[in-house]
Amino acid sequence: MKITSIVLILWIVITNCTYAQGQGNSKYFLANDSTKYREKVFLHLDKSYYNAGEDIWFKVYLLNAASHQWDAIRNVVYVDIVGPDDNIIDFKIIRIEDGIGNGDFALPSDLYGGGYTVRAYTNYMRNFDEAYFFRQQIYISPLKFITKEVGAALVGKGQDKSDVVLEEQMPDLQFFPEGGHLVNDYFNRVGFKILGVDGRSMDVEGVILDETGMQITEFASVHLGMGLFDIKPLEGKKYTANIVHNGKKYAYNLPQGVSDGIVMRVQELRDYYQINIQTSRAKGLKGFGLLGSQRTGTIYNATINQDKSLAVFKVDKKLLVTGIAQFTLVDEKSTAVCERLVFYNDGSASPEIKIIPSSQINAKNGTIQLNVELDSQVEGISKLGANMSISVTDLAASSPREHQADIRTYLLLNSEVKGRIENPGYYFYSENPKRRQFLDLLMMTQGWRQFIVNDMPNTTGDAFEFVKEMGISVEGEVRKFHNPDKPDVATVKLTFQDSNLMGRLSVKSNEDGRFKFLGLDIMEDNKLAFEMVDYERPMKEFAIHLDSIKPAPINSIRKEYSLPEITSFEQFLENPNEREGYDTNFENEMMKLIQLDEVLILTEGRSKKKEMDTKRSTSSIYSSVSNTVDFSEIRNQPYPNILAALRARVPGVDVYGGFVTIRGVNSINSERGTTPLFLLNGVPVNQEAIENVPVWEVDFIDVLKGSRASIFGSEGGNGVIAVYTLTGKELKDQKIKVAGNVFSYQGFYQSRKFYEPAYGNEDLGANRKKFSSTLHWEPMVKLDNSGRSKVIFPAGTKSSFYRVVLQGITNDGLPLVSEAVFEVD
């Protein structure tokens, strides 16, 4: 809802205070300027429960934090997986086009079990508190046969230590006076929240005692460790909350009351929010102001013009949009003195979208069709537009909707409040009539003193420390070749292959030798070639040091699951017994796969000759060669192309002036003249294609002459040059620096296509995928002009129930969420 210019109707219940409304240049406005809080990242993961060895599939949504709309400009999002020990186990760079991007992780099979965190952020978001980063807790179940044999050292000693720590800890009970402070001689409403030593909420009952031991009141949690009580503290007295947990007594001090303070109480009524203000200050409330804000900016601003100690404000709900609203009382110096969050829901935040399976019961080995339909009553469906993603997972790997976070709960709730919200889906999808009451309780406790007010960005002078990125940044330093620790100055020329063509850029290093290239569109493990130019000195006098891309540091990630409690995740699954059976099937397939790999290693070894024979047998039709050139050492030398590297290495092969001939064979007239037949990984190509293959990507080259080339008929009459390149894994295993001033560099991750189960294939890799609990992943779902879409995929071979989860965002920033269940039998 746009900010209107309608003057707010303010009236006082007890006094005749008057108010002035307007804008002010206060620190409050600066901190809440929406231009300084620009981005939110959300990831839709295919599920939240995985086996070690499975794949994680995800879609990235990058949105404007105020409007929840995506930006048309290109951007970059970093995604990583953080283990229980706070170490990053994998890291991807995702290219964002029109606000979206796709990616995946292949989980190692030797991971130990526990709670892991998927984290995502942009470089620009690093200017603010790390709480702005997207985080989602996932649980990874270990392969027991690997954990027992390989991972025992990881779990053993650390687990014992963790148990000791937990035994010494006490539950964390915190108190949150509404508005900010306990004020003496006034009735104060106090929210509280208690967490157990495992970081989860717990039920609690207790009493409040004064310093003489007299009981003042009782309290008890009503939802996820949260509750309320009223207290009228007296000046000079201290108060304690006493509880009993696991047979032990614990005492907690309440905040000390203040005598010169302000009490704020917020009440939601049918058409407005009423904010009651009381103060014990001798000077009263004159000059104080009440400010209301949401992610869209300031929605309310009023100043008290009379010297009174009581005031009541009414804020019309028509001024609000669905989401968190923040009411802040500021003093004469525009300093925040009281604060309260509320959650407003106008009931029309998102259009309804449905997932309708073509059949509720589907046959194994068949096809499933899902019909996606937007509410037909939505006006302008053809113009609405939406970008969505769909995951289909076994119900055994799912948790109840109330326990989950989705794009709606994240954009409207999780991303606006600091810290992890337990079971965020409850506040949106529960049928409990007290749901809204408990949501307000969450605002009083976890939303107390919301962090946005005092969260100023990190800047260097007038500029942000971390800039927005439109591509990959490449940074490094020029150094003296014979004194690598000393920087030097030179013009740095960069040659790279982007996603479309070969690029060349140049920049001069500064006096410290530093240089930077911005906005490169390069893919993962790309090769970057550098040349240092100084007209007075040759290039060989310079050396280059290239910075690697590093994830943002991990400052504080509160883990949802601790090692001694890892099995308790089962309580979040709808059918943990069936899940255990599913895990067993997956583990059996992984055991076969790993054992087969071990047999192959024992019988064949890893000799270079065996590896070459394997590549030839899978890519080419010939069985014998005249000569073979292994590029293991050659690829580290600065040859301009691979044909130049062949010169003088193969008898009878002449390379001169761009021409290649093989002596000792009979030249046959053809369109190629005397040029030999070129093969690239078994596929015929022209000479230009061969010359464009980087030297550092070549594994080996075969040369065939005479009768050995006759298998290709007349095409092989001039001989054959067969080039074999390194596989992706072989390239990844190389060192970062692959040749001279050529570096392997991490660029944008190229997302894999979700596999379709190869049911007739007995290959163990196919079986591994077949037993994954994710049946289908569809990252790109778009509506046609009628507001409909269809998703079709194989039904699989396992009888089970499956949950379909759709998430997405409309062009105008409305989150879309829907679920459905079907059966395969």
Side-chain angles (χ1 to χ4, degrees), residues 199-395:
R200 297 191 186 95
S201 62
M202 53 179 280
D203 293 329
V204 68
E205 294 181 355
V207 295
I208 305 295
L209 307 177
D210 65 13
E211 55 195 3
T212 67
M214 180 182 295
Q215 180 175 318
I216 304 301
T217 187
E218 299 177 347
F219 65 92
S221 59
V222 295
H223 177 70
L224 295 178
M226 297 181 292
L228 282 173
F229 63 86
D230 287 306
I231 186 173
K232 185 178 181 180
L234 301 178
E235 186 175 357
K237 287 199 171 185
K238 297 180 179 180
Y239 299 88
T240 304
N242 288 9
I243 66 170
V244 177
H245 176 62
N246 290 338
K248 293 183 178 181
K249 294 182 179 180
Y250 297 98
Y252 303 82
N253 294 326
L254 266 66
Q256 185 66 42
V258 297
S259 298
D260 191 15
I262 297 174
V263 175
M264 169 188 279
R265 181 162 293 197
V266 177
Q267 183 178 7
E268 181 180 5
L269 301 175
R270 188 181 69 174
D271 298 322
Y272 56 87
Y273 283 96
Q274 180 171 300
I275 299 95
N276 301 303
I277 307 294
Q278 289 181 286
T279 183
S280 59
R281 297 172 75 251
K283 296 181 179 179
L285 295 169
K286 185 175 182 180
F288 280 56
L290 182 70
L291 304 172
S293 64
Q294 289 194 285
R295 65 176 190 272
T296 52
T298 301
I299 59 169
Y300 186 85
N301 178 13
T303 302
I304 302 174
N305 289 331
Q306 292 187 8
D307 187 6
K308 300 292 184 179
S309 61
L310 301 173
V312 176
F313 298 86
K314 290 187 177 181
V315 180
D316 195 329
K317 288 183 176 179
K318 293 180 181 179
L319 298 173
L320 282 70
V321 298
T322 292
I324 292 177
Q326 176 179 336
F327 297 119
T328 304
L329 187 72
V330 297
D331 63 15
E332 308 95 322
K333 299 179 180 179
S334 297
T335 300
V337 292
C338 285
E339 199 163 72
R340 175 73 149 86
L341 300 188
V342 299
F343 190 95
Y344 173 68
N345 189 349
D346 64 7
S348 60
S350 299
E352 182 180 0
I353 191 163
K354 298 179 181 179
I355 304 172
I356 306 173
S358 56
S359 175
Q360 287 298 322
I361 302 179
N362 302 269
K364 291 185 290 186
N365 294 314
T367 299
I368 294 173
Q369 176 176 311
L370 302 176
N371 300 307
V372 180
E373 298 181 2
L374 192 65
D375 185 356
S376 59
Q377 297 181 357
V378 176
E379 296 182 3
I381 285 180
S382 61
K383 296 181 180 180
L384 180 63
N387 205 307
M388 301 171 292
S389 44
I390 283 181
S391 63
V392 184
T393 58
D394 193 289
L395 204 58

Side-chain angles (χ1 to χ4, degrees), residues 48 111 118 180 207 217 360 396 421 536 566 609 647 658 726 753:
S48 57
L111 287 177
V118 177
V207 295
T217 187
Q360 287 298 322
I421 296 177
E536 298 180 357
I566 58 176
K609 182 178 184 305
R647 185 183 291 117
L726 295 168
K753 182 179 179 181

